[in-house]
């Protein structure tokens, strides 16, 4: 979601706030029709600010940025101004040329800077509300580059956006949770602390955050929480509960309980509602009433004792402890009763990953920089899968450039071997699945790659039967190793395209095609609700970050969390395998593959 411009705060800017300003400048320059290289420089600068391992703000203040890749002289000067003054005159001048509400339009799929500029110049549309009114009045259809179908799609996108306006992506929620958790942990009266709710259950989007703490009654904690710098708005504040709106816009609830109530409250406020109903029913069947404060006998049963943790509560109900990710009442209670819960995959078990981009297509870091970041993360291998030629909007590689990249990968691997570095790059491509199901490159070129990620990047509105046939044709290609972001969804922004997923799963199981779990917080695709079924069919998952920068590799954490929600174990995930195991897997290929 593009960041909304905001006046620089009086306090020193954080690294994230400076990166956000650089991204806003890029958007403003696009609205002005500026040179695309200049625009890209600001986006690259934003990513550099986020991912640079040193204290970049100190370096900016001291004018020591000259040796950092991706930061030209003009950007260095602007970063110095931002770091020393908390503001940037160039940014303020740019921002003053447009109303702040105009940035709302970037939240809709299909609306880029060019179209937004047309809407603004022709119809003075400067907000989502103005856009909706114009669509309903039929004012967009006559505009050049729009038409009736585009107008209808924009109206549908507005409806979808409105229904999800109060939800937040998992990475946004996790960042806020980390900040507030650190603040709460440092408070002297907090003895126990957990983040509960849907974030603890690894849901892909959240409506709010729930913080549960054990602390003495009648303390100052809730008031301190409501008065903290991160609280943009206080929604409620009492003795045991405080509700605020974080400066990010995310609502946050703090609940304070006594130590003896903590395990019951943690289980209750983690949810889900359906899981809790089933668990309370189980307690009733055994003569107990379970609520957020205690477990009480109802039918002359003995008084429960020794329940000091959530694990002990589940054990008292004759269940193995159920990981929060599984608490959706989808068979986890039955499995816990039978001792059949899976040992869920963890992100630390990932040995490498695929589907990553470089500056050769639309990434912000070079091949060598991405490899270095993967090594720093402790990975044994990294697959590079830049876009193919049909993704012109992403600077996709043609045949010549792809062959050159294959050679560059070989050279780097040779260098690692000579240096004794236990790491390998794999040559891949995120190949477009064309409208008729053909691939963007011919089989002769695909055979020279270590692996292929096949993805849909166009013609999203095909009917279900046609879209399914399109993917099925790609799956049959022996060179397609895995499918990328299978349903094409963009969380809170674009719905999945119509697709017969059961039929796709059957085809992948039959052909040995891997399905990725795209770990980017905007995608998390394939949806967790399908992975248990895919697992039962023997389909392997590859947790891929779709990284366009070194920091993008961190998406692997969110991918692993969602994989856990899909009941996946280490054995179900391809990239938990070691480098030698992956080399053997890729050399073997799909059952009918015949790579040269």
């Amino acid at each position: 979601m593009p960041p909304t411009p905001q006046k620089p705060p009086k306090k020193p800017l954080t690294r994230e706030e400076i990166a956000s300003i650089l991204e806003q400048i890029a958007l403003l320059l696009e609205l002005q029709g500026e040179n695309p290289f200049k625009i890209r420089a600001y986006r690259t600068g934003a990513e550099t600010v986020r991912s640079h391992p040193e204290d970049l703000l100190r370096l900016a203040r001291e004018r020591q940025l000259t040796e950092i890749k991706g930061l030209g002289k003009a950007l260095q000067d602007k970063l110095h101004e931002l770091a020393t003054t908390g503001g940037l005159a160039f940014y303020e001048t740019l921002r003053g040329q447009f109303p702040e509400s105009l940035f709302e339009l970037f939240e809709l799929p299909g609306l880029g800077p060019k179209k937004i500029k047309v809407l603004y110049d022709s119809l003075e549309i400067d907000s989502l509300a103005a856009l909706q009114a114009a669509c309903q009045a039929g004012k967009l259809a006559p505009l050049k580059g729009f038409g009736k179908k585009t107008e209808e799609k924009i109206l549908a996108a507005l409806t979808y956006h409105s229904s999800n306006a109060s939800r937040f992506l998992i990475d946004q929620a996790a960042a806020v949770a980390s900040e507030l958790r650190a603040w709460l942990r440092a408070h002297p009266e907090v003895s126990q602390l957990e983040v509960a709710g849907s974030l603890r259950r690894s849901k892909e989007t959240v409506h709010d955050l729930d913080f549960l703490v054990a602390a003495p009654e009648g303390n100052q904690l809730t008031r301190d929480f409501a008065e903290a710098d991160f609280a943009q708005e206080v929604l409620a504040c009492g003795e045991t509960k405080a509700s605020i709106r974080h400066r990010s816009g995310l609502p946050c609830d703090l609940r304070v309980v006594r130590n003896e109530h903590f395990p019951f409250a943690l289980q209750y406020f983690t949810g889900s509602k359906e899981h809790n109903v089933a668990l309370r029913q189980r307690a009733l069947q055994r003569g107990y009433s379970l609520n957020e404060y205690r477990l009480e006998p109802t039918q002359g049963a003995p008084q429960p004792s020794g329940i000091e943790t959530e694990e002990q509560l589940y054990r008292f109900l004759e269940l193995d402890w159920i990981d929060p990710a599984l608490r959706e009442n989808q068979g986890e209670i039955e499995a816990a009763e039978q001792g059949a819960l899976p040992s869920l995959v963890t992100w630390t078990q990932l040995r490498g990953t695929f589907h990553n981009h470089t500056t050769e297509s639309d990434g912000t870091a070079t091949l060598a920089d991405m490899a270095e970041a993967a090594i720093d993360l402790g990975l044994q291998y990294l697959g590079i899968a830049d876009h193919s030629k049909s993704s012109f909007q992403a600077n996709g590689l043609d045949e010549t450039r792809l062959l050159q990249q294959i050679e560059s990968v070989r050279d780097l691997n040779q260098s690692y071997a000579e240096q004794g570095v236990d790491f390998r790059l794999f040559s891949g491509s995120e190949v477009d699945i064309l409208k008729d199901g053909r691939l963007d490159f011919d089989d002769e070129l695909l055979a020279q790659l270590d692996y292929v990620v096949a993805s849909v990047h166009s013609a999203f509105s095909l009917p279900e039967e046609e879209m399914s046939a399109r993917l099925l044709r790609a799956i049959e290609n022996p060179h397609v190793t895995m499918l990328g972001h299978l349903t094409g969804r963009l969380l809170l922004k674009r719905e999945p395209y119509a697709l017969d997923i059961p039929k796709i799963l059957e085809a992948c199981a039959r052909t040995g095609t891997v399905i990725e779990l795209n770990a980017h917080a905007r995608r998390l695709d394939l949806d967790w609700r399908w992975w248990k079924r895919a697992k039962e069919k023997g389909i392997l998952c590859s947790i891929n970050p779709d990284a366009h920068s070194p920091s993008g590799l961190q998406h692997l954490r969110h991918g692993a969390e969602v994989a856990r929600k899909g009941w996946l174990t280490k054995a179900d995930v391809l990239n938990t395998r070691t480098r030698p195991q992956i080399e053997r897997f890729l050399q073997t290929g799909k059952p009918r593959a015949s790579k040269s």
Side-chain angles (χ1 to χ4, degrees), residues 179-405:
E179 176 192 0
L180 271 61
R181 187 192 290 116
W183 185 92
L184 287 165
R185 189 178 290 119
H187 197 282
E189 298 194 15
V190 172
S191 59
Q192 295 190 70
L193 164 66
E194 287 286 351
V195 180
S198 50
L199 184 64
R200 189 173 184 233
R201 300 201 320 277
S202 302
K203 289 294 290 289
E204 59 270 52
T205 64
V206 306
H207 177 266
D208 56 17
L209 289 178
D210 295 286
F211 296 89
L212 183 69
V213 304
E217 291 181 336
N219 62 73
Q220 183 71 25
L221 178 57
T222 53
R223 291 185 290 279
D224 290 346
F225 185 77
E227 294 170 2
D229 288 343
F230 49 70
Q232 183 183 74
E233 178 185 1
V234 179
L235 306 176
C237 184
E239 287 280 320
T240 60
K241 180 181 176 183
S243 296
I244 65 164
R245 192 176 303 282
H246 183 267
R247 58 173 168 259
S248 65
L250 183 56
C252 301
D253 291 341
L254 171 66
R255 300 173 191 275
V256 182
V257 299
R258 296 203 303 267
N259 267 305
E260 60 266 32
H261 295 158
F262 192 82
F264 307 101
L266 178 59
Q267 191 286 314
Y268 179 86
F269 288 113
T270 294
S272 66
K273 178 182 177 181
E274 294 78 9
H275 177 88
N276 286 356
V277 167
L279 207 64
R280 288 199 298 271
Q281 182 62 35
R282 185 178 182 87
L284 285 171
Q285 292 169 353
R286 284 157 176 75
Y288 292 91
S289 171
L290 175 63
N291 60 35
E292 62 265 46
Y293 297 110
R294 59 186 62 85
L295 184 71
E296 293 182 317
T298 60
Q299 301 172 9
Q303 188 72 31
S305 62
I307 300 179
E308 299 178 355
T309 66
E310 201 183 45
E311 288 83 352
Q312 290 169 341
L313 171 59
Y314 277 89
R315 177 57 63 192
F316 185 87
L317 296 174
E318 301 175 82
L319 297 171
D320 288 344
W321 179 77
I322 300 173
D323 190 284
L326 300 183
R327 298 181 196 177
E328 302 292 343
N329 197 30
Q330 295 193 359
E332 71 275 10
I333 291 178
E334 293 80 0
E337 184 178 50
Q338 298 162 15
L341 286 169
S343 178
L344 301 176
V345 67
T346 65
W347 101 271
T348 56
Q349 291 173 328
L350 301 180
R351 299 289 174 258
T353 189
F354 306 92
H355 193 168
N356 302 285
H357 299 271
T358 73
T359 47
E360 285 301 305
S361 62
D362 59 345
T364 63
T366 64
L367 179 67
D369 288 340
M370 290 298 289
E372 184 178 343
I375 293 170
D376 289 344
L377 205 59
L379 299 182
Q380 298 177 10
Y381 52 88
L382 182 74
I384 298 298
D386 275 313
H387 288 283
S388 63
K389 58 188 177 183
S390 287
S391 285
F392 55 86
Q393 79 287 350
N395 191 34
L397 282 66
D398 60 17
E399 288 82 354
T400 300
R401 291 173 61 211
L402 181 56
L403 288 169
Q404 290 171 345
Q405 188 179 67

Side-chain angles (χ1 to χ4, degrees), residues 10-74:
K10 293 179 181 179
K11 62 180 182 179
L13 293 172
T14 65
R15 185 186 288 230
E16 179 58 35
E17 286 167 336
I18 289 178
S20 179
I21 287 173
L22 295 183
E23 287 178 337
Q24 293 165 26
I25 290 173
L27 286 176
L28 290 165
L29 292 176
E30 280 193 273
L31 287 172
Q32 287 188 328
E34 257 289 1
N35 184 314
F37 293 103
K38 186 175 182 180
I39 295 165
R40 188 172 184 181
Y42 279 97
R43 291 210 168 100
T44 301
E47 184 52 47
T48 301
V49 168
R50 285 195 176 98
S51 60
H52 196 271
E54 297 182 55
D55 184 353
L56 193 132
L57 301 191
R58 178 186 61 79
L59 296 177
R61 287 192 297 270
E62 298 174 359
R63 291 191 178 278
Q64 296 181 18
L65 300 173
T66 54
E67 302 299 319
I68 299 178
K69 294 179 183 178
L71 297 180
K73 180 63 167 61

Side-chain angles (χ1 to χ4, degrees), residues 277-527:
V277 167
L279 207 64
R280 288 199 298 271
Q281 182 62 35
R282 185 178 182 87
L284 285 171
Q285 292 169 353
R286 284 157 176 75
Y288 292 91
S289 171
L290 175 63
N291 60 35
E292 62 265 46
Y293 297 110
R294 59 186 62 85
L295 184 71
E296 293 182 317
T298 60
Q299 301 172 9
Q303 188 72 31
S305 62
I307 300 179
E308 299 178 355
T309 66
E310 201 183 45
E311 288 83 352
Q312 290 169 341
L313 171 59
Y314 277 89
R315 177 57 63 192
F316 185 87
L317 296 174
E318 301 175 82
L319 297 171
D320 288 344
W321 179 77
I322 300 173
D323 190 284
L326 300 183
R327 298 181 196 177
E328 302 292 343
N329 197 30
Q330 295 193 359
E332 71 275 10
I333 291 178
E334 293 80 0
E337 184 178 50
Q338 298 162 15
L341 286 169
S343 178
L344 301 176
V345 67
T346 65
W347 101 271
T348 56
Q349 291 173 328
L350 301 180
R351 299 289 174 258
T353 189
F354 306 92
H355 193 168
N356 302 285
H357 299 271
T358 73
T359 47
E360 285 301 305
S361 62
D362 59 345
T364 63
T366 64
L367 179 67
D369 288 340
M370 290 298 289
E372 184 178 343
I375 293 170
D376 289 344
L377 205 59
L379 299 182
Q380 298 177 10
Y381 52 88
L382 182 74
I384 298 298
D386 275 313
H387 288 283
S388 63
K389 58 188 177 183
S390 287
S391 285
F392 55 86
Q393 79 287 350
N395 191 34
L397 282 66
D398 60 17
E399 288 82 354
T400 300
R401 291 173 61 211
L402 181 56
L403 288 169
Q404 290 171 345
Q405 188 179 67
I406 292 172
E407 190 61 34
S408 296
V409 168
R410 288 194 187 117
D411 290 343
L412 267 176
N413 282 333
Q414 179 63 34
S415 174
Y416 296 140
E418 292 171 355
Q419 297 173 53
V421 178
D422 185 18
F423 179 79
R424 177 172 173 178
L425 285 166
F426 290 107
S427 293
S429 175
E430 186 183 13
V431 179
D432 273 26
I433 303 173
L434 305 180
K435 189 175 180 180
D436 62 359
R438 290 181 299 112
L439 299 180
D440 211 10
F441 293 131
D442 61 30
D443 286 354
E444 184 178 354
L445 179 54
L446 296 179
Q448 298 186 54
L449 295 166
D450 293 316
Y451 71 100
V452 172
V453 181
S455 304
V456 170
H457 289 111
S458 62
F460 299 132
S461 58
L462 293 178
E464 180 180 303
E465 186 175 354
E466 196 172 337
M467 182 64 83
S468 300
R470 176 185 186 180
L471 268 78
L472 289 169
R473 182 175 179 182
I475 290 168
E476 293 296 332
N477 187 298
H479 300 291
V480 170
T481 313
M482 64 186 73
L483 295 178
H485 44 75
L486 179 58
T487 71
R489 74 177 184 182
L490 293 177
L491 289 166
L492 309 185
K493 191 169 183 179
R494 183 177 72 205
E495 293 189 273
Y497 40 69
L499 191 64
D500 188 340
I501 296 179
K503 187 178 288 187
I504 298 298
L505 296 184
E506 291 289 346
C508 287
R510 177 173 49 79
T511 60
T513 304
V514 178
I515 297 178
E516 84 165 4
L517 196 167
N518 189 298
H520 193 287
R522 181 66 76 177
R523 291 190 183 275
L524 297 175
D525 186 11
L526 183 63
D527 186 287

Side-chain angles (χ1 to χ4, degrees), residues 483 486 489 501 505 513-518 524-543 559 562-568 572-573:
L483 295 178
L486 179 58
R489 74 177 184 182
I501 296 179
L505 296 184
T513 304
V514 178
I515 297 178
E516 84 165 4
L517 196 167
N518 189 298
L524 297 175
D525 186 11
L526 183 63
D527 186 287
W528 61 268
R529 295 161 184 84
W530 288 103
W531 279 112
K532 194 176 179 184
R533 183 167 180 175
K535 166 183 176 158
E536 290 167 352
K537 293 183 175 297
I539 297 170
L540 279 174
C541 166
S542 180
I543 299 175
V562 172
R564 293 168 65 83
K565 198 161 188 64
W567 293 61
L568 299 187
D572 302 317
V573 179

